[in-house]
């Protein structure tokens, strides 16, 4: 048996190593989350731990490092790709783009019509070609798909139409497709680290950001950008990832338990995040912390984005996947 150990302690990334050693016959797996116990991602990872223990049926230890104690999702993915420090985590596809151009396609803007369409795409495993490429190039396995949050734009002013979005300085994720699609609508996107968004809006560097309800609540974005424009421009897919380097060292029965647990935990994660979206926004609005603003031109916004998405799919050889997604019924 092997134990995954963290050496060097803190966030000094290059110094953190995972060294396999014997530890009382039990394997230890290290996970990471940017968030606290209440966040959907952390709860999904806790469910994964619970399910692995159930299906494996032998002693195994899990250490889940929460509240960004090991950095942010981009670092988690790099660690997993390198086979050190982090064995499992939930990571936004945008942070995988260094290893796979197709990765951000998983939850790019306007891929999904609604939650029913999103769920059907996942149930039919239409994203498998992208997952296969990520595993081959990054040596990180996508063992399940969490997510389900509907992303909207939070800003320091009300936004109701495409005209209102023109010139908007908005933070986007690092994958180029996010900048391209937001530029197509007329916005001025900029890439800023997730943990710097609050201060950037507060200091006037940007006017807005975009996120699902869980992120808006957790990061308290409503304090600096209380106007939530219901653009519904994306539905999140947040892969539950596992390091291929770690996986290869594990016994076959534990590998089987991890694959089964990953699928089940991700379904649990999808259910709680999609169900809690509305609940969280209701609570924030009732408390006077946030105001939902009806966005009346989503269809026009999508028409502006569609050519960019089609060109992007062609560029990354994902046209067949996009066609299958478009043809999938809700």
């Amino acid at each position: 048996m092997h134990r995954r150990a963290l050496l060097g302690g803190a966030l000094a990334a290059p110094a953190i190593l995972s060294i396999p050693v014997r530890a009382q016959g039990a394997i230890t797996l290290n996970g990471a989350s940017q968030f606290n116990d209440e966040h959907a991602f952390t709860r999904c990872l806790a469910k994964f731990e619970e399910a692995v223990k159930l299906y494996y049926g032998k002693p195994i230890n899990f250490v889940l490092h929460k509240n960004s104690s090991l950095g942010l999702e981009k670092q988690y993915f790099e660690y997993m790709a390198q086979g050190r420090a982090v064995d499992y985590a939930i990571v936004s596809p945008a942070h995988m783009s260094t290893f796979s151009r197709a990765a951000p396609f998983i939850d790019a803007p306007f891929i999904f019509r609604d939650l029913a369409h999103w769920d059907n795409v996942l149930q039919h495993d239409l994203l498998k070609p992208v997952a296969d490429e990520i595993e081959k190039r990054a040596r990180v396995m996508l063992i399940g798909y969490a997510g389900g949050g509907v992303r909207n734009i939070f800003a320091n002013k009300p936004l109701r139409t495409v005209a209102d979005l023109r010139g908007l300085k908005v933070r986007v994720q690092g994958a180029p497709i996010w900048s391209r699609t937001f530029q197509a609508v007329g916005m001025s996107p900029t890439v800023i680290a997730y943990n710097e968004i609050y201060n950037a809006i507060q200091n006037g560097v940007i006017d807005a950001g975009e996120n699902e309800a869980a992120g808006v609540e957790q990061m308290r974005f409503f304090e600096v950008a209380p106007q939530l424009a219901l653009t519904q421009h994306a539905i999140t897919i947040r892969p539950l990832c596992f390091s291929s380097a770690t996986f290869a060292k594990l016994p076959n029965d534990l590998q089987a338990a991890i694959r089964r647990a990953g699928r089940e935990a991700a379904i649990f994660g999808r259910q709680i995040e999609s169900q809690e979206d509305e609940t969280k926004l209701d609570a924030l609005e009732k408390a006077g912390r946030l105001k939902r603003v009806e966005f009346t031109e989503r269809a026009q916004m999508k028409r502006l984005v569609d050519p960019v998405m089609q060109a992007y799919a062609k560029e990354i050889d994902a046209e067949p996947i996009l066609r299958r997604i478009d043809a999938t019924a809700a």
Side-chain angles (χ1 to χ4, degrees), residues 99-286:
F99 300 89
S100 168
R101 291 195 304 163
F105 183 76
I106 288 177
D107 72 341
F110 292 106
I111 284 284
F112 306 110
R113 294 188 289 274
D114 51 34
L115 276 167
H117 180 227
W118 164 87
D119 192 55
N120 210 9
V121 167
L122 292 181
Q123 287 188 31
H124 285 84
D125 203 16
L126 297 186
L127 302 176
K128 187 178 186 302
V130 180
D132 290 345
E133 182 191 27
I134 293 168
E135 183 173 353
K136 178 181 178 181
R137 294 179 182 274
R139 300 189 70 234
V140 175
M141 303 162 55
L142 309 190
I143 59 174
Y145 298 104
V150 178
R151 293 178 81 91
N152 297 294
I153 294 176
F154 53 89
N156 52 21
K157 58 185 177 181
L159 306 166
R160 295 184 174 86
T161 66
V162 169
D164 292 337
L165 297 176
R166 291 194 186 113
L168 184 75
K169 294 183 293 183
V170 58
R171 181 267 182 184
V172 296
Q173 301 178 61
I177 188 57
W178 282 85
S179 291
R180 292 185 200 177
T181 51
F182 276 48
Q183 285 170 347
V185 179
M187 290 179 271
S188 178
T190 184
V191 176
I192 293 175
Y194 188 67
N195 60 346
E196 296 175 5
I197 298 172
Y198 187 106
N199 287 340
I201 296 176
Q202 189 176 44
N203 296 328
V205 176
I206 55 175
D207 307 312
E210 57 84 40
N211 214 320
E212 61 269 28
V216 172
E217 179 191 55
Q218 174 81 21
M219 302 300 289
R220 304 184 72 83
F221 293 139
F222 53 82
E223 292 181 347
V224 290
Q227 304 286 333
L228 188 72
L230 301 179
T231 51
Q232 301 178 24
H233 54 271
I235 301 175
T236 63
I237 290 181
R238 293 294 175 262
L240 174 48
C241 304
F242 201 93
S243 169
S244 295
T246 299
F247 192 81
K249 299 172 185 175
L250 301 177
N252 291 340
D253 53 348
L254 179 52
Q255 290 182 349
I258 286 169
R259 288 190 183 277
R260 182 177 178 184
R263 290 191 297 270
E264 293 188 9
I267 291 171
F268 170 78
R270 297 205 301 267
Q271 290 171 342
I272 58 175
E273 186 162 357
S274 59
Q275 290 169 1
E276 288 182 355
D277 237 30
E278 193 72 14
T279 303
K280 289 180 183 296
L281 294 182
D282 280 343
L284 288 171
E285 193 161 40
K286 287 176 181 175

